[in-house]
Structures are given as structure tokens and as C-alpha cells.
Amino acid sequence: MKIEKVGTKRIIAGLIMLLALVFSVSCTKNNGKGGATTTTYSIMSIAQAQTTMPTTTLMTIATATSRSSRKTTIQTLPSRRMTTTPKTSSETSIPTTTTKVTTPTHSIKPTTKTTIKKPIPKSTTTTKSVHKPATKPTSPQKRALTRTNLVAIINEERARAGNAVKVYYGDMILQKISDVRAKEQIRLFGATRPIPCSGCDYCHGSKQCITNETQWIKETYGVKYAHGSYAGKDATATVDDFMARIRQNSAVYNLMIKGSWNRFTFSTSEGNGTTYLYLSYGKW
């Protein structure tokens, strides 16, 4: 019987505990603005509540439902009966402000782009001067010492000096005078004939020859053959060199270039290691 009494007590105690449970249901419904719905179940033992302990362990099952997820939280609450606190305004949805952007209806004129021309830098190309050896100017070809070339160069120089009288080559008598005097220059260079003179047409060996050549020419051949002469050593091979020497002697230059005679002849001879040149002038 004792065993039965003990079992009966346990059953009765269990029933009392079940009857002593307090159900507290607190429902907070949605406020219509998208908030969550929370249901709290609090189960408390009367026997534990009557003890001297300040707090009782409660098991709170919070189920939160939302549009995207469901969250279950198990937390330890104080023994006092908890009342679901309504959500504060901070938990409510925040209204959004729509800003309307107004697009201007008038067309925006394109801005004229000002182009600034940059100065073109000067060329830094360095020009290198190449030193070329100086070339001698090509001198005109010199003319040989001939009758034709002597006539040409004397007339050229007379025209340059302003003398309009042209010269021509003489006759056989004037040529004979030049031939005789060219040979006599070997023995006696100058305007005086050597005595006795070879080939003298004046004396023919019967009388003394005249040493003055101008007088000799007049008495032997006539006045038209005796208008002057030119005697020179080291005769040149070209008429250009000959004229260059004539320009160096003003007395000879005036007689030959500025004179009024219009005939001449010339002749050369070799002797004493040099060449002699003789010109005889006539006028007719």
C-alpha cells in the first residue's frame, strides 16, 4: 500500500503542476505597413514561482515572419510577465521621397570651340657648311703669236682705249724692214742700228750707214714706212702675254695703241740665248 500511495502522490503532483501552468498569449498584429507578427508563449511553474528565487527561467519562443525570412529566437527572460512591446516608429518603414528631375525643353546651343594656334617651332636643323677647295677661274684660251692674232689684239685694245683707227698687216717692204731690224737686235738691242750694218739698202757698202733707224727708213724706203717701231727681248709665245707687257710701259702703249699709224709688220730672231721681237709701223 505504501508503494501505491507514493505513485498516487506523484500523479497528483503532476496534475497539479499541469493545472498550475499559466498560458499567456500576446499577439501583436501587423500594423498594415509591412511589419512582422510576433507570438509569445510564456510557461511558468507555480511551484517555482512560489520559491524565494527572484527570477524564474522562462522559455520564450519568438517567431517572426516577414516577406523574405522567418526567425526563431530563444532567449532567457526575467520571471516577471513580459508584455510584447509594440514597435517604435523607428522600426516602421521609412517613406521615400521622389525627386522629379525636370529636363529642360529648350535646346542647348553648342559652344564654339576656340582653337589657339601654337607657334610652329623653328627648325633646329643645323646646316653644315662644307669647305670646298677654291677652284681657279678658267682663263680664256690664249692666242698664239701670229700675224692675224696680233692684228686682232691691237685693234681690240685700241677700241678699249677709244682709238677708232684700225690696223692692218703691211706689205713686203715693211716686212723687209722688220726682218733686218730683228737680226740687228742681236748685235745692238734698241733703236740705234749697229755700224756697219748687214743688209743695209742705203749705203750698199759705198758710204757710211745711218745709225738712226728712223732716218735710215725714210731715206731708204720713204716716209710712209717710218712711223715708229717696237723692239723687245724674250718674246712671248702668245699675243695675250705680249699685250700684257705693252700695258706696263706707258710710252710704248701710247705709241702703239693711241697712235694714228695703220700698217705694221713683225719679225723674230734667236741669239744670245733669247728671242728678239721687232715691229715696224707704217701709214698710208
Side-chain angles (χ1 to χ4, degrees), residues 174 223-227 260-264 281-284:
L174 194 58
V223 68
K224 70 175 183 178
Y225 295 102
H227 284 273
S260 60
W261 54 268
N262 57 5
R263 294 289 189 272
F264 83 95
Y281 310 142
K283 182 179 179 181
W284 58 85

Side-chain angles (χ1 to χ4, degrees), residues 3 6 18 26 63 67-68 73 90 94 98 100 105 120 122 132 144-145 156 159 203 206 256 262 269:
I3 295 172
V6 173
L18 290 174
S26 175
T63 304
R67 294 178 182 178
S68 60
T73 306
S90 62
I94 301 173
T98 303
K100 185 177 182 181
T105 58
I120 300 174
K122 294 182 179 180
K132 294 182 179 180
L145 187 66
E156 290 170 6
C203 62
S206 61
M256 181 182 294
N262 57 5
S269 61

Side-chain angles (χ1 to χ4, degrees), residues 127-134:
T127 304
K128 185 178 180 181
S129 59
V130 179
H131 177 71
K132 294 182 179 180

Side-chain angles (χ1 to χ4, degrees), residues 166-243:
K166 291 185 177 181
V167 300
Y168 304 91
Y169 204 79
D171 59 8
M172 294 180 64
I173 294 176
L174 194 58
Q175 183 65 55
K176 182 180 180 180
I177 295 172
S178 294
D179 292 342
V180 171
R181 291 297 295 140
K183 291 177 182 179
E184 290 179 349
Q185 296 298 314
I186 298 173
R187 293 193 298 157
L188 181 63
F189 177 76
T192 303
R193 299 185 71 213
I195 299 298
C197 61
S198 60
C200 181
D201 294 335
Y202 174 74
C203 62
H204 297 286
S206 61
K207 58 183 176 181
Q208 186 66 31
C209 288
I210 300 172
T211 58
N212 185 286
E213 64 174 0
T214 302
Q215 187 64 31
W216 166 70
I217 292 171
K218 285 179 181 180
E219 292 183 8
T220 305
Y221 304 105
V223 68
K224 70 175 183 178
Y225 295 102
H227 284 273
S229 62
Y230 168 79
K233 288 182 179 181
D234 302 321
T236 60
T238 67
V239 293
D240 301 278
D241 294 333
F242 166 78
M243 186 55 64

Side-chain angles (χ1 to χ4, degrees), residues 99-141:
T99 303
K100 185 177 182 181
V101 180
T102 304
T103 304
T105 58
H106 64 279
S107 61
I108 301 174
K109 296 182 179 180
T111 305
T112 303
K113 185 177 181 181
T114 304
T115 305
I116 301 175
K117 294 183 178 181
K118 295 183 179 180
I120 300 174
K122 294 182 179 180
S123 177
T124 57
T125 304
T126 304
T127 304
K128 185 178 180 181
S129 59
V130 179
H131 177 71
K132 294 182 179 180
T135 57
K136 294 182 179 180
T138 304
S139 58
Q141 187 175 1

